Amino acid sequence: MNNFEWADAKSIDEAQSLMTDASAYKAGGVDLLDLMKEHIAAPKRIVNIRNLQGFDQIKEDGGVLHLGPLLTLAQIADDKTIRSKWSAIADAAANAATPQIRNMATLGGNLLQRPRCWYFRNELFPCRKKGGEICYAQQGENQYHAIFNNQLCAIVHPSALACALVAHGAKLELSGAKNQKREVLLEEFLTLPSVDLHRENSIQSGELITDIRVPTPRADAKSIYIKQGEKESFDWPIAEIAMVLTMDGETCKSASIVLGAAAPVPHRATEAEQAITGKKVDEQSAGAAAKAALATATPLALNGYKLALFENLLTRTLLQAKGNA
Ligand SMILES: Cc1cc2nc3c(=O)[nH]c(=O)nc-3n(C[C@H](O)[C@H](O)[C@H](O)COP(=O)(O)OP(=O)(O)OC[C@H]3O[C@@H](n4cnc5c(N)ncnc54)[C@H](O)[C@@H]3O)c2cc1C
């Protein structure tokens, strides 16, 4: 790890005035410190935003849930308000990482963490994402990699919270220099390698995430998150699904379905949404929607198993939504 200077920010203005191109914000520090130890990041100054006041609030106001970027995953997992209507978000937080990490990791940091691709994380592989010529995963050990949009770079987006928040149509408030604020749909903020090979989102230099805004779903909506790892605990997902469904009896009125660990961004399963909307949810329609979701997948040599896995999980999740409706 490189030597660095430490700066404790007490306000947004101070945090931004301390930022230079050679600095990095640190919230929980779980990902940033890993990247530094892996020699993938080498900031000369760390600007600690962990102690900024007022950015760990949960508030429902005017049909919108406001989540502070410094909320820990543990706080999100335990909160009764979030669990009451946005249970996909609570469950995504509850099932991420380990109890120790959930107590350190923040929502803002979770959304902006870098991918876990082992070629990207290994300084000995000058992969395309780091400015090289090759995506080593495409011909290499690609069992955990993307099955969609994997032609340029085969990372999967690492954030469970992003998967659930995209399903819920969340927006981010970003604050730049001189208190300039912009609001952007999370789904549009997270970008594919075809947009920018070297980054996973469109955050601008010095910008901070200052609010995460989630629309309140209809009272009859079902919000579900499901994660499959190789082992029961302390594991990254090999597949995850977040879903917000509204039902009229047994018929699906609307569906927002997002697959995680599937693509370089949380992957909206548009074909499944279209296939299930307006249909009575049963084994046949759920299975057909799940098949439709995978129809455009382009699996690599070692991750073809994800097709059957996602198909099964998606069928089960749709049937679960029906059962609880
Ligand atoms: C063993 C292990 C298992 C894990 N499993 C999972 C899992 O299953 N699912 C999952 O989703 N994650 C998982 N994680 C990842 C973990 O959840 C993230 O590393 C963590 O959430 C990052 O949050 P942080 O606050 O520590 O971020 P930091 O490391 O502090 O920051 C990460 C990045 O975000 C930037 N940043 C942070 N906050 C802001 C802000 N408000 N505005 C602008 N920039 C900001 C920082 O500058 C940095 O670039 C796992 C990690 C480990 C080590």
Side-chain angles (χ1 to χ4, degrees):
M1 188 191 276
N2 61 299
N3 289 328
F4 57 87
E5 181 186 312
W6 177 271
D8 252 319
K10 297 190 184 51
S11 67
I12 295 272
D13 283 350
E14 190 184 6
Q16 287 174 337
S17 69
L18 287 163
M19 272 307 268
T20 64
D21 285 346
S23 309
Y25 292 131
K26 182 207 73 74
V30 177
D31 195 45
L32 181 63
L33 273 289
D34 269 1
L35 290 164
M36 291 172 71
K37 285 186 257 177
E38 290 155 344
H39 303 285
I40 309 299
K44 297 242 180 331
R45 175 188 289 160
I46 290 187
V47 180
N48 182 29
I49 57 170
R50 189 76 187 88
N51 301 320
L52 293 179
Q53 296 299 303
F55 291 94
D56 60 352
Q57 309 292 313
I58 298 168
K59 193 176 67 180
E60 192 183 359
D61 185 21
V64 178
L65 175 72
H66 294 265
L67 300 174
L70 293 178
L71 282 164
T72 64
L73 303 194
Q75 286 172 310
I76 293 170
D78 289 347
D79 186 76
K80 288 196 178 69
T81 303
I82 301 177
R83 198 158 279 289
S84 66
K85 297 178 210 157
W86 299 268
S87 50
I89 297 172
D91 282 339
N95 286 286
T98 67
Q100 291 89 341
I101 291 170
R102 291 196 291 274
N103 275 311
M104 286 298 292
T106 67
L107 174 55
N110 187 270
L111 296 176
L112 296 178
Q113 61 176 306
R114 303 299 315 272
R116 285 278 157 181
C117 169
W118 40 39
Y119 298 109
F120 171 69
R121 292 272 170 170
N122 188 325
E123 62 177 316
L124 300 178
F125 288 90
C127 76
R128 223 175 243 161
K129 183 165 269 305
K130 289 182 293 202
E133 298 291 319
I134 299 168
C135 170
Y136 293 92
Q138 278 161 348
Q139 304 299 325
E141 300 288 330
N142 49 37
Q143 52 268 51
Y144 301 129
H145 287 78
I147 55 168
F148 295 99
N149 295 111
N150 51 11
Q151 289 78 13
L152 281 173
C153 163
I155 62 151
V156 292
H157 199 274
S159 169
L161 272 300
C163 187
L165 286 165
V166 167
H168 269 282
K171 294 178 177 169
L172 302 182
E173 179 193 73
L174 294 149
S175 299
K178 297 187 184 136
N179 205 23
Q180 278 191 329
K181 293 188 193 300
R182 65 182 175 116
E183 190 184 66
V184 57
L185 202 59
L186 177 61
E187 190 166 0
E188 291 170 3
F189 172 77
L190 302 173
T191 51
L192 282 167
S194 53
V195 175
D196 189 340
L197 256 177
H198 307 125
R199 299 173 348 131
E200 297 79 49
N201 55 63
S202 59
I203 199 157
Q204 302 299 309
S205 172
E207 261 184 341
L208 279 161
I209 299 177
T210 41
D211 194 18
I212 294 96
R213 298 169 178 165
V214 200
T216 302
R218 289 172 49 115
D220 57 357
K222 298 306 303 175
S223 165
I224 301 176
Y225 167 87
I226 185 162
K227 167 179 175 176
Q228 181 69 52
E230 271 187 327
K231 52 187 170 63
E232 273 296 301
S233 61
F234 299 3
D235 207 5
W236 293 86
I238 48 176
E240 61 188 338
I241 296 175
M243 188 181 288
V244 183
L245 234 66
T246 55
M247 303 285 291
D248 182 4
E250 295 197 339
T251 301
C252 172
K253 279 197 300 194
S254 71
S256 173
I257 303 173
V258 177
L259 313 184
V265 293
H267 178 78
R268 181 167 289 286
T270 312
E271 299 84 355
E273 292 174 349
Q274 286 168 355
I276 200 69
T277 302
K279 301 261 168 47
K280 183 178 169 199
V281 180
D282 55 22
E283 281 190 28
Q284 203 184 352
S285 63
K291 261 201 179 17
L294 278 311
T296 56
T298 53
L300 302 165
L302 300 176
N303 68 6
Y305 72 93
K306 285 197 180 189
L307 271 61
L309 182 58
F310 271 114
E311 198 178 315
N312 273 303
L313 285 179
L314 191 43
T315 307
R316 265 176 31 205
T317 317
L318 284 165
L319 291 172
Q320 185 183 333
K322 173 204 165 189
N324 294 346

